[in-house]
Every structure is written in structure tokens, then in C-alpha cells.
Amino acid sequence: MEQSQNKLGVMPVGKLLMVMSVPMMISMLIQALYNVVDSMFVARISEEALAAVGIAFPMQNVVTAIGVGTGVGITALVPASLGRGDRETAERAANAQNFLSLCYSLVFVVIGLAFSRLYYTMQTDEPAIIEAGVSYMRIVCVVSIGAFFGQGLEKLLVATGNSALSMICQATGAVLNIILDPLLIFGLGPIPAMGVAGAAVATVIGQIVAAALALFFNIKKNTAVRFRLKAMMPSAEILKSIFAVGIPSMLTVGLASVMSYCINQIFLAVSTTATAAFGIWLKLQSFGFMPVYGLNNGSIAILAYNRGAKKYDRVRATLKLALKIGISVSFLVMLFYMIATQPLLAMFSATENMYAIGTVAIRICALSLPLGACTVVLSSSFQSLGKPRNTLLVNMCRQLIILVPVAWLMSLTGDIRLIWSAFPIADGLTMIIAIVLSRRLMRNYAD
């Protein structure tokens, strides 16, 4: 067994979780930072441009959902197989994800070319938003190959105990994106100003570079599995194993797209400023949760490996520590957002109306962060421990079944402040459901 895999089963849990998760936290914070920076530069174009990018978020999230879902399936299957000593299955799964990434990329070429304008005209009749949004969405969908391959290859590095290399890949792509954003949006010297389209080009370039670097590291540094062309075509058994975990994860992440679409419709009925404020919160929420997502990426491999090796004491210890860290970090982020609300809005070139709406929005929504952190950690543990349906159920409650109806009911009052309260309400109720499901599951791992 490779040394990178051995540490998953023998290194002290506290040290192991930090070794696996801290690099992922850093890389995902940098990734989230480029999302925030991207919106900051777009906001300098116009409020309509910011709204256009916000409306594109659900479709971008579909790309993320598919890539992450497949990657999570790989992250659960590969270390579990290695924990059982079944290297052949681990390698077949690793090769299958490349085939799947290629297929996904081709599908989104068609979606980007054929359906971008329809996607926007279904949601708004504002010409400035439609034109800016169509140019943005076409680029990020047609050139989604970097997103799909990057997600899969980076998750494979994590699955085989190489989270530091995954951090380098993600951070490189994100930093490149941050550098390219102002150059391509506003132009410099011979580089023409591309506006919103420039933000999209910067995004896909960063994704492609990150994916290329991840491929290099997997070929040169990842000794746990090997890439073989003959093994790229997946068997039905491998696909079943990947998607048993991956599809619930895809649906889980994809729920954010459905949620965003529904909430956008509620806010569009109020004003485009409210929609833009919602887009800002999504970026801040994503940034605030990135330490938790990084923690999850590290803990998934640990949980899956030790479940496969039947080291249940390490399973319990890992989950407890992940919960403590995730909730504590999210609480600190919540306090920061509530204190620094106006400076945060200033980063997005907020108008007076945006300050009025956004200040209330951020302070209310920030209350959901510690509650959501508990839910996110527990839902990820369900995937690693063979209960992906629990993950799907919990996230459906958090992002759709509870959140959207509550937001709609609050909108009937005509008070926009009450709509924002739907976020902490949904996270609080879902956290209770997740705790109940987790306690039932952990009985299987009692001494």
C-alpha cells in the first residue's frame, strides 16, 4: 500500500484531518475569492451586469454539480477500494472519470450554443441583462471542459491522499482568474475590453490551467493509481458504484441551481437590485462555507478509507472533530459578516438602494452559516459512509423543500426583509433533521 494511503489509516485523526483538509481549505478559499473578485469587477460595469452574472449562477452550478458529484463518487470509491486492498477497482474508477468528464463537456457545448438566450428570456425582459448574460453563459458552458476535468482530477488527488497537490491546482487556476479578470473585462493596451464576456473568458482559462496541472500531478506524482487508455471505458459495475454516491451528490449540488432560480424569481418580482443583492449573498455564502467544504473534502477520504478498513473508532473521531471545526469557523465568519456588512457591499460598488437592501440581507442570512455548517458536514459524512440518500434528503430540505416555500410565503407579506429570514429558518430546521439521521447511522459504528 502506498504511503499516502497508509496515513489515512494510521496517522492520528487530528493531525490527519489537518493534513488532508487545510490545503483544501486554502485552495477553496482562494477559489471562492476569485468568485467574489469576479463579481466585484462585473459590478463596476453596471448593476445589470451583476444581475446577469447572478442569474447565470444556477447554470454554472449545474456544471459544478455534475463535476463535483462524479468527483465525490470517485473520492468515496477509490480510497474505500484501496482500504480493502482492491487496487484494480480503484484504478478502473480513476480512469472512468476521464471518460465521463469528456462526455459532460460535449453535452454542455450543445447547451451553451442552443439554449443560452432561451435561459435568459425565460427569466427577464431587461435587454441589458439578457445580452450580458447570454455572452457570459455561452462561454462558460461551451468551454466547460476545464471545469469537468479539473473537478475530477483534483478529487482523485484528494482520494489518494495528495490533497496538497489538489490545493496547488485549484489555487493556481483561481489566482490566474483573479489576474485575468480586470485585464479582460476592462482591457489593457492591446487587450480589448470584453466586458462581462471577459469575466467568462478569465474563468474558463483558469479552469483549463488548473485541470492541466491536475492531470500532470496525477500522471507524475500520484502513485496509488495509473491512467491507462484501455481502462477509460467504464464498466457497468464501476458506473453503478460511482453514481450510487455521485448522483445524490450531483442532485445535492444541483439543488442550489433550482433554489437560485426559484429565489431569483421571487426577487425579480421585487426589483433587479434585490436580485443583485441575492447574487452578492450567494458569493459571500460560498466564500464563508469554503473552509467547511475544504474540511469535507479532506474528511471524505478519511471516512471512506477507514470504513473500508473497518476502523470505526477513527470514523467516529473524524466526524466529531470535523463538526467542531466546521461550526466554530462558520461562527467566526458569521460575526465578521455581521460587523463588516457595509465594507463588504462597498466591494461590489453598491448604490444607495443596494446598501439599504443588502445590509439587511447579509446580516440576516449570516445567521444561517453555523447552522448550515453542521448540516454540510453531516451530509458529506453520509456520502462517505454509504448513505448518499440521506445526503440528498438533507440538502433537498435545506435548499428546496423548506427554503423556497418559506421564502415565497414571506414574500406575500410585501416585506423584503422577511424573505431573507427564510435562509436561517431553513438551515435551522434542516440541521435538526441531519442530526437525527446521523445519530441513527452512527449506531452502526459503535463499539
Side-chain angles (χ1 to χ4, degrees):
M1 189 69 66
E2 302 295 337
Q3 184 179 0
S4 61
Q5 284 296 307
N6 278 338
K7 70 183 182 183
L8 296 177
V10 300
M11 185 180 288
V13 168
K15 180 179 179 181
L16 177 61
L17 190 58
M18 292 301 98
V19 168
M20 292 292 292
S21 299
V22 169
M24 298 307 302
M25 290 181 183
I26 295 171
S27 64
M28 296 187 84
L29 278 170
I30 296 173
Q31 261 198 320
L33 179 61
Y34 96 69
N35 281 328
V36 172
V37 172
D38 189 69
S39 294
M40 287 169 53
F41 285 121
V42 169
R44 292 176 59 186
I45 300 173
S46 67
E47 196 171 277
E48 289 77 14
L50 182 60
V53 173
I55 293 172
F57 174 80
M59 185 55 67
Q60 283 183 282
N61 205 58
V62 170
V63 174
T64 301
I66 296 172
V68 167
T70 304
V72 168
I74 298 295
T75 305
L77 178 58
V78 169
S81 299
L82 292 170
R84 295 190 302 268
D86 184 3
R87 180 166 175 166
E88 177 62 24
T89 297
E91 289 195 344
R92 289 166 61 198
N95 282 273
Q97 69 90 19
N98 289 325
F99 173 79
L100 293 172
S101 294
L102 180 60
C103 293
Y104 299 151
S105 302
L106 294 175
V107 169
F108 272 83
V109 169
V110 176
I111 291 174
L113 293 175
F115 298 106
S116 293
R117 184 166 294 277
L118 177 62
Y119 175 82
Y120 272 88
T121 55
M122 287 173 58
Q123 299 185 70
T124 181
D125 56 2
E126 182 65 43
I129 295 177
I130 293 173
E131 294 308 315
V134 169
S135 65
Y136 184 89
M137 181 173 155
R138 277 182 178 162
I139 294 170
V140 296
C141 286
V142 171
V143 197
S144 60
I145 188 169
F148 287 122
F149 273 91
Q151 290 283 359
L153 293 168
E154 289 160 11
K155 289 288 190 299
L156 182 58
L157 289 171
V158 176
T160 52
N162 295 291
S163 58
L165 297 180
S166 179
M167 175 195 72
I168 293 171
C169 298
Q170 293 189 34
T172 300
V175 170
L176 180 60
N177 193 332
I178 291 172
I179 294 171
L180 290 177
D181 255 337
L183 297 179
L184 297 179
I185 292 174
F186 303 110
L188 179 66
I191 302 175
M194 300 174 65
V196 172
V201 172
T203 295
V204 298
I205 290 175
Q207 291 170 343
I208 290 172
V209 170
L213 191 57
L215 177 61
F216 171 80
F217 282 145
N218 272 291
I219 293 173
K220 297 295 185 180
K221 303 292 184 179
N222 186 356
T223 57
V225 295
R226 298 164 296 176
F227 286 142
R228 294 172 291 168
L229 285 175
K230 291 189 294 185
M232 275 190 65
M233 186 64 68
S235 66
E237 180 184 359
I238 290 294
L239 288 177
K240 181 180 178 181
S241 298
I242 293 173
F243 289 129
V245 175
I247 287 180
S249 184
M250 290 179 193
L251 294 175
T252 294
V253 181
L255 284 171
S257 297
V258 179
M259 178 274 291
S260 298
Y261 180 88
C262 294
I263 299 297
N264 271 328
Q265 301 312 301
I266 293 172
F267 283 126
L268 282 169
V270 179
S271 71
T272 57
T273 301
T275 305
F278 176 55
I280 290 174
W281 168 246
L282 288 178
K283 302 292 185 181
L284 294 176
Q285 182 189 52
S286 176
F287 187 82
F289 271 140
M290 279 305 161
V292 180
Y293 292 144
L295 187 71
N296 284 346
N297 279 349
S299 64
I300 284 175
I302 302 170
L303 291 169
Y305 182 93
N306 286 285
R307 173 178 173 248
K310 297 185 178 180
K311 297 183 177 182
Y312 300 144
D313 58 328
R314 293 175 64 81
V315 170
R316 296 192 304 273
T318 300
L319 180 57
K320 288 179 181 178
L321 184 57
L323 279 170
K324 290 178 181 178
I325 296 173
I327 294 171
S328 298
V329 171
S330 295
F331 183 78
L332 293 177
V333 175
M334 177 197 75
L335 293 179
F336 173 72
Y337 281 0
M338 296 183 77
I339 294 171
T341 304
Q342 296 209 348
L344 288 170
L345 288 169
M347 292 165 51
F348 296 92
S349 304
T351 61
E352 184 176 345
N353 195 26
M354 175 65 79
Y355 275 117
I357 293 176
T359 299
V360 175
I362 292 174
R363 287 176 177 167
I364 293 176
C365 290
L367 296 171
S368 67
L369 291 176
L371 307 173
C374 178
T375 303
V376 168
V377 171
L378 291 175
S379 66
S380 294
S381 73
F382 297 148
Q383 294 172 325
S384 306
L385 301 176
K387 296 292 183 180
R389 291 182 181 179
N390 285 1
T391 300
L392 180 58
L393 172 62
V394 166
N395 284 284
M396 283 184 67
C397 290
R398 178 172 177 253
Q399 300 194 67
L400 194 62
I401 295 174
I402 297 176
L403 175 60
V404 173
V406 171
W408 177 74
L409 288 172
M410 294 300 184
S411 71
L412 298 180
T413 66
D415 188 344
I416 193 172
R417 293 173 296 181
L418 293 178
I419 301 176
W420 301 112
S421 68
F423 290 90
I425 290 172
D427 274 317
L429 294 175
T430 305
M431 181 185 69
I432 296 172
I433 296 171
I435 290 172
V436 172
L437 292 173
S438 182
R439 285 183 173 178
R440 290 179 181 176
L441 176 61
M442 293 311 292
R443 291 173 188 163
N444 298 328
Y445 302 100
D447 293 326

